[in-house]
């Protein structure tokens, strides 16, 4: 992961230093590649979520059903993104740390 980030940073620096008149779109594309390299997401089974995450879901999101789960490596930290739905009405996306703490919550656009 660090090697990939280092290579991406070198690519950005060499692109900027050799093409000082580069178009803004090219720089944006390189930045997007670097950001994507820093966050990796893999779909997992809901049953594979850590116990701390499932405990938080049961306590704080009791009216919701976990539909999908993703293991996300974000800034070299393991987190879990879970898509929760409530009787087909409301769908939310919740990001948990490995201890089950909610990091971020937003309406999901499926």
């Amino acid at each position: 992961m660090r090697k990939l980030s280092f290579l991406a940073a070198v690519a950005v620096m060499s692109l900027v230093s050799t093409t000082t008149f580069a178009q803004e779109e090219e720089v944006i594309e390189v930045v997007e590649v670097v950001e994507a390299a820093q966050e990796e997401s893999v779909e997992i089974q809901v049953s594979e979520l850590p116990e701390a995450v499932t405990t938080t879901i049961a306590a704080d999101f009791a009216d919701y059903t976990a539909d999908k789960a993703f293991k996300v490596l974000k800034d070299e930290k393991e987190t879990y993104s879970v898509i929760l739905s409530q009787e087909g009405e409301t769908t939310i996306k919740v990001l948990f740390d490995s201890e089950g703490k909610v990091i971020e919550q937003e309406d999901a656009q499926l």
Side-chain angles (χ1 to χ4, degrees), residues 41-60:
S41 177
V42 177
E43 187 169 2
I44 62 172
Q45 297 295 318
V46 173
S47 61
E48 296 177 77
L49 288 168
E51 185 177 342
V53 173
T54 56
T55 300
T56 301
I57 291 171
D60 298 345

Side-chain angles (χ1 to χ4, degrees), residues 24-42:
E24 186 175 326
E25 292 175 352
E26 292 175 344
V27 175
I28 290 171
E29 287 178 28
V30 173
V31 170
E32 290 172 351
V33 169
V34 171
E35 290 174 351
Q38 292 176 348
E39 185 175 306
E40 297 176 20
S41 177
V42 177

